[in-house]
Structures are given as C-alpha cells and as structure tokens.
Amino acid sequence: MAHGLHELDPETFTTLRITDAEDRIHARLDRPDVRNAIDATMIEELHALCAHLEHDPKILILSGTDPDPATGRPGVFASGADIGQLRERRRDDALRGVNSTAFDRLAKLPMPVIAALDGYALGGGAELAWAADFRLGTPELTVGQPETSLGIIPAAGALWRLRELAGEPLAKEILLAGRILDAEEARTHGLINAIHPAEELLDAAHALADRIARQDPLAVRISKQVFSLPREAHPQVDNLAQAILFESEAKFDRMQAFLDRKKARSTRRSEATSPETSPAQTSGDHT
C-alpha cells in the first residue's frame, strides 16, 4: 500500500475505513473477522493518517466495528495486537517500537483525538485508546492489559499512561495482576469520560467533536501542546503561548463578538424594564 506524503485517499486503506469531513476525520478500525486485531498494515495506515492530520489538523474520531443485529455479532474496538504477528517479532522489532511509535504519534496530533470504544479494548487496543484525548464507552466495554499472561509487557504506552490516567494502585492491578475492567469501573476510575448505549456511541463522539469545533482551533491546538509539557515548563510556556494567542485575529474577533452579545443582552433588558414601556408591551398582552 502506497500513500503520498500528506494526501489522504480513503480508497487505499484496507484496515481503516476513513470518512473525511471539513473539521474532522472518522477512522473505523476494520478487521472484524479478527476482532480488529492490530497488525502491521493497520500500524502503517495509522502512520499515514497521522501524517495527513499533522499537515492538515482536524479532530480525529477513532472507532471500531459496530454491533450487527442481523448476525448478533457484538461491537468491538480492538481485541489487541495480532498475536500471530506478535509471536514472530524479535528484539529488533521491539527496539523499533512498532506500535508505540504509531500510538505516540497519534497522541501528539495537533487536534484532539476521541476514541469511541465498544466491546473489547484489550492489550494494544487499550493502549491505542489510552493515546486518545477523550474516551467514550458503551455498557458492553471491556478494557485491560493481558500482556503479562503472554510473557511480554504492554510496551505501547500503558506502562506510563495508565499511572497518569488512573493512579498507581489501579494501574498496577491492571498491569501486574491482569485486572480487566468493565465500563462502569473504567468510568469510575477516569479511564473513560462517559458511557453511552452502543447505538448512540458515535452520535456522542460527534457531539463532543462539535463542542471542540466551536472553539478557536489555534487555541485548542496550543492548549493541547502546553497541557502535555512537564511541570517544569510552566508557567513560562503558558506565558509564551498566551503571547502568541493575544496577537491572533481570532482572539480579537471572538472577544468583540462576546462584547457585542453582552451589549445586546443589556440593551434588551433595559428596554424590557424601561418605565416608558407599557405593562401590556412587557407582558406581551396585546388585548
């Protein structure tokens, strides 16, 4: 499979189904026969997707396979890495960070990433979800890191992201004792933001994307970058970032629009309570 440096042709993808809109891209993991196991081709296509979004920043929604009522097949995000391929990987593959490089690149995309999770999000599938900025789940969601049961570690981000997301005690249960969480447990511990019925999951993801899209894109991009920096960089980096935004046209336009709306509301209130306005006019009684 060949992709141009920045171009995005959905027809050339085989493991992802891409829907490209004006302010967002929706990428569905699409290997349903193997519960969306993450293989080398999917990693290559995630890199191609990231290359495009680095050049043309948009919100990214990641989801898996929808439930199929006709066959009774449940929805699934990703059941993990492709074990057949994983078994054959050796030392040099690990040192190249096959999955970790792609997931880290996804986490650093300019605009936010929303993961819509249904069914299994295990192993590499969970690590892909941890790399997102937001995670929404269904009641059927199951998340965990079973790597140590297979004689390996979760080396694509879980060993450090889980501590940040859920705290050390729970992270160690998941990583060292193989604890698997259901949706409510994951939400309680902050691993997912909200739970939605499967049929409403993508609508909820798009509603969240709509809220993000209403913000100033540059302010969102800079907020995401500054948020990810270590404590030692603050507050100096905040001041520098604010200095950039204080000179942006969007800042002046959006603040002026806010002031105009505030003035209009104040004018309407003044007119509604003016002594010159008759009781019939203020009440809307036109008898």
Side-chain angles (χ1 to χ4, degrees):
M1 181 194 65
H3 290 284
L5 183 59
H6 302 308
E7 67 184 27
L8 187 71
D9 181 1
E11 297 300 320
T12 65
F13 286 77
T14 60
T15 69
L16 303 176
R17 284 195 287 133
I18 306 292
T19 304
D20 192 359
E22 182 179 356
D23 60 4
R24 73 198 62 176
I25 285 179
H26 179 195
R28 296 174 182 262
L29 280 57
D30 190 27
R31 301 186 72 215
D33 293 342
V34 289
R35 295 178 175 175
N36 292 335
I38 299 169
D39 67 350
T41 301
M42 186 178 288
I43 291 296
E44 180 187 348
E45 293 185 350
L46 285 170
H47 276 297
L49 179 59
C50 286
H52 176 77
L53 288 169
E54 289 160 356
H55 183 259
D56 183 13
K58 294 182 180 182
I59 301 162
L60 174 62
I61 297 174
L62 281 174
S63 71
T65 306
D66 292 334
D68 186 350
T71 63
R73 185 185 69 193
V76 61
F77 181 67
S79 58
D82 188 302
I83 300 299
Q85 290 188 5
L86 201 59
R87 185 183 180 280
E88 300 306 314
R89 290 181 186 172
R90 306 303 294 267
R91 176 186 58 201
D92 289 345
D93 298 306
L95 293 174
R96 284 193 299 115
V98 176
N99 288 8
S100 63
T101 301
F103 296 173
D104 199 46
R105 189 175 185 181
L106 184 134
K108 292 176 179 175
L109 286 175
M111 290 293 283
V113 179
I114 302 167
L117 311 173
D118 190 15
Y120 293 121
L122 298 171
E127 291 183 294
L128 177 58
W130 308 146
D133 299 287
F134 303 95
R135 285 164 295 279
L136 307 178
T138 69
E140 293 74 32
L141 176 63
T142 300
V143 295
Q145 303 290 163
E147 283 86 350
T148 52
S149 70
L150 298 172
I152 58 174
I153 62 172
L159 284 172
W160 54 276
R161 285 198 175 100
L162 271 178
R163 190 205 310 252
E164 295 179 356
L165 291 169
E168 185 171 317
L170 179 62
K172 284 185 174 178
E173 272 198 74
I174 295 170
L175 296 166
L176 308 181
R179 179 173 172 181
I180 302 297
L181 278 65
D182 62 24
E184 187 55 42
E185 290 173 318
R187 189 197 62 78
T188 298
H189 293 287
L191 292 174
I192 62 175
N193 297 82
I195 300 173
H196 301 276
E199 63 273 16
E200 299 174 11
L201 180 63
L202 287 179
D203 287 341
H206 281 287
L208 177 54
D210 290 341
R211 287 161 51 196
I212 297 168
R214 287 195 290 270
Q215 315 306 309
D216 173 49
L218 181 60
V220 171
R221 289 179 61 179
I222 290 180
S223 294
K224 179 174 176 177
Q225 290 178 343
V226 171
F227 183 88
S228 67
L229 294 174
R231 174 63 183 89
E232 294 74 19
H234 304 278
Q236 291 83 358
V237 67
D238 306 66
N239 298 337
L240 291 171
Q242 193 75 297
I244 293 170
L245 291 168
F246 271 8
E247 299 298 323
S248 72
E249 289 186 18
K251 174 250 190 178
F252 291 100
D253 292 344
R254 284 173 173 263
M255 289 191 176
Q256 187 60 52
F258 173 85
L259 293 172
D260 291 345
R261 291 193 300 270
K262 184 178 179 182
K263 182 178 179 181
R265 287 195 298 268
S266 179
T267 300
R268 287 195 296 270
R269 284 196 298 268
S270 297
E271 291 175 349
T273 59
S274 172
E276 298 177 0
T277 305
S278 70
Q281 288 174 313
T282 57
S283 65
D285 184 359
H286 300 292
T287 58

